[in-house]
Amino acid sequence: MTGLVDIINNISDLDSTLKVFTLLSREDKLEFLEKLKAIRTEAAGEFLTTVYPLENDKKVQKVVKTLLFRLKTVGIKVPEPQMQGEPVLKKIEEVREHKGLMSNYDADGTRIAVVAFEARRNAYVLVHSILHFSKGIIELANAPVNREGLKEVFAEYQKDSRKPFVVVEVSPRYASFLIEEASARSGKYAEEVKEFKIFSNRLGGEVHKPEGIYGIEVPDATDALSFDRIMANDIFQPFTLSWDTLEDDRKQFSDIGGSSIVLPPYMVVEKRQAFLAALLDRDALKSQIPLIKRLMEDYAYIFHRLGELGAFKGLVEMLHDPQGPSKVLSFLTQRVLEKKEDQQSGIIVNPYEQVRP
């Protein structure tokens, strides 16, 4: 045993020492390591670091790790032991495929968020959700699907994606964030989402949370679109605000200027603007400002994914304005007050139905 310890002090004999050590019995290895405690050199550290991943006996491994720790505490430079197979496992993890989808809101105030993550090679879990603007999550389901099945389902989601209702591919981590956020708002599917988050925390993508949207870069030459041009974009058209007294408020708004006393057009406009300002000051609408801000963030991301960079840049600039969400709320409120015909409602496409068990 003393001879082996002497060999450790000569790094040129490291290979021979390793070969001899691996042939020892468990008891002899432990006795050898006990003697090795007195050796505090970098050569000893190199030996221990090298032998650690080669050793299958957990008790021997534990002693090796303890000796490595002791060397570190006395200032000996010791490289971290690398377990065999770790680089291979990391490589497999890196090539796993994850995908995400999101849509804008339809006339019912609902949209879809979809996540697919590769649990193991060629085996995916497809998570489909329907989210409501103010109520949060209203449907959550999942199904196993293989690679070909995933391609077919995603193609089906996107094939009818055309304005005003669009479905775009987004960061899978962001799509999962939408589901988690909506579940927290509604209080529904808490247990399912808790299990889902075990996997979602591994998902990647350029955007993880809303604050990441502000950092998406666009060419400096991109001109930001104006408020009016952004709000006239088709993706805003299906969305309709709602509140408890909407129908009564719409009637009062419409009746302004419709009395037997004929008012000049400018006075009608002034009275309607005054009515709108008072309405926006009610809690029923003021409470929706945070939701409007989140809608703006999500729609900015959709604009970017659609390649409409001017609209993206303009909406982000609006978000930097503290009054930006209030301006959008005012625009959407006035639009719904002036609306006379119901828009077509319902989510246009739900290919998840094809893979339900």
Side-chain angles (χ1 to χ4, degrees):
M1 299 298 292
T2 302
L4 285 176
V5 174
D6 291 337
I7 292 173
I8 293 173
N9 286 313
N10 186 346
I11 195 169
S12 61
D13 289 330
L14 178 60
D15 288 343
S16 298
T17 307
L18 290 170
K19 289 177 182 177
V20 173
F21 184 83
T22 56
L23 296 174
L24 296 176
S25 66
R26 182 191 193 190
E27 289 72 19
D28 288 341
K29 286 179 180 179
L30 294 174
E31 183 181 349
F32 172 79
L33 294 172
E34 181 65 27
K35 293 181 180 293
L36 192 60
K37 288 181 181 180
I39 308 298
R40 298 180 177 181
T41 65
E42 289 188 8
E46 185 177 0
F47 167 77
L48 292 167
T49 298
T50 307
V51 81
Y52 182 78
L54 302 176
E55 183 57 54
N56 295 322
D57 190 298
K58 290 186 177 181
K59 186 172 182 179
V60 175
Q61 270 192 343
K62 184 177 180 180
V63 173
V64 172
K65 203 166 185 178
T66 300
L67 293 180
L68 283 169
F69 177 75
R70 287 183 178 180
L71 289 176
K72 287 181 184 179
T73 58
V74 296
I76 303 299
K77 186 177 179 180
V78 178
E80 288 295 325
Q82 296 296 318
M83 296 302 293
Q84 288 181 330
E86 184 179 8
V88 176
L89 291 174
K90 284 186 176 179
K91 186 175 180 181
I92 292 174
E93 184 69 25
E94 288 170 0
V95 299
R96 285 188 176 175
E97 183 182 26
H98 312 300
K99 298 171 76 69
L101 292 173
M102 68 179 288
S103 75
N104 60 329
Y105 288 101
D106 65 10
D108 287 335
T110 57
R111 62 174 170 170
I112 60 171
V114 180
V115 184
F117 56 90
E118 191 174 11
R120 58 182 185 275
R121 187 175 295 276
N122 197 34
Y124 296 81
V125 176
L126 178 70
V127 180
H128 168 93
S129 69
I130 298 179
L131 317 178
H132 189 272
F133 171 72
S134 60
K135 299 175 183 176
I137 193 165
I138 57 178
E139 181 178 320
L140 179 69
N142 65 77
V145 62
N146 60 25
R147 191 183 303 275
E148 285 304 311
L150 179 65
K151 288 180 180 178
E152 291 175 8
V153 173
F154 265 55
E156 191 68 25
Y157 271 115
Q158 295 176 285
K159 80 172 186 179
D160 292 325
S161 173
R162 58 185 181 273
K163 290 184 176 181
F165 188 82
V166 295
V167 180
V168 296
E169 190 159 346
V170 296
S171 157
R173 184 65 191 95
Y174 193 75
S176 70
F177 168 82
L178 294 179
I179 296 172
E180 295 161 20
E181 176 188 47
S183 174
R185 183 179 303 146
S186 68
K188 296 177 62 178
Y189 300 105
E191 287 302 315
E192 291 86 343
V193 169
K194 184 178 179 181
E195 295 178 5
F196 169 61
K197 287 176 72 172
I198 296 173
F199 298 96
S200 68
N201 288 334
R202 307 174 189 173
L203 302 177
E206 75 280 14
V207 177
H208 289 193
K209 293 184 177 181
E211 49 265 34
I213 294 167
Y214 296 81
I216 299 176
E217 295 183 357
V218 296
D220 292 337
T222 303
D223 292 325
L225 295 187
S226 66
F227 176 88
D228 290 340
R229 289 187 63 186
I230 291 171
M231 298 310 298
N233 193 288
D234 286 344
I235 74 168
F236 280 98
Q237 299 312 305
F239 179 71
T240 302
L241 274 178
S242 180
W243 60 96
D244 290 343
T245 60
L246 170 57
E247 292 307 320
D248 289 339
D249 293 331
R250 180 185 281 143
K251 185 178 186 305
Q252 290 182 54
F253 184 83
S254 178
D255 287 346
I256 295 175
S259 65
S260 58
I261 301 176
V262 178
L263 297 175
Y266 78 90
M267 290 189 65
V268 174
V269 172
E270 287 178 357
K271 285 182 174 292
R272 285 184 172 179
Q273 288 302 313
F275 178 87
L276 177 62
L279 180 60
L280 290 168
D281 199 42
R282 294 185 201 167
D283 288 341
L285 284 166
K286 282 200 301 186
S287 63
Q288 299 201 44
I289 289 177
L291 298 176
I292 291 293
K293 182 174 183 286
R294 285 291 299 111
L295 178 146
M296 293 168 67
E297 290 166 338
D298 290 341
Y299 278 32
Y301 194 10
I302 290 174
F303 279 136
H304 187 269
R305 298 303 298 159
L306 291 172
E308 299 184 29
L309 302 186
F312 165 78
K313 187 173 183 180
L315 199 48
V316 170
E317 288 182 0
M318 288 165 56
L319 282 160
H320 283 301
D321 177 0
Q323 296 303 313
S326 296
K327 291 177 182 177
V328 173
L329 177 63
S330 177
F331 175 91
L332 295 173
T333 303
Q334 183 168 344
R335 189 178 72 180
V336 76
L337 290 174
E338 294 173 345
K339 178 183 167 188
K340 294 181 179 179
E341 296 180 1
D342 291 335
Q343 297 176 351
Q344 180 182 359
S345 65
I347 286 182
I348 294 174
V349 58
N350 184 1
Y352 172 80
E353 298 288 349
Q354 301 177 17
V355 294
R356 280 189 177 180

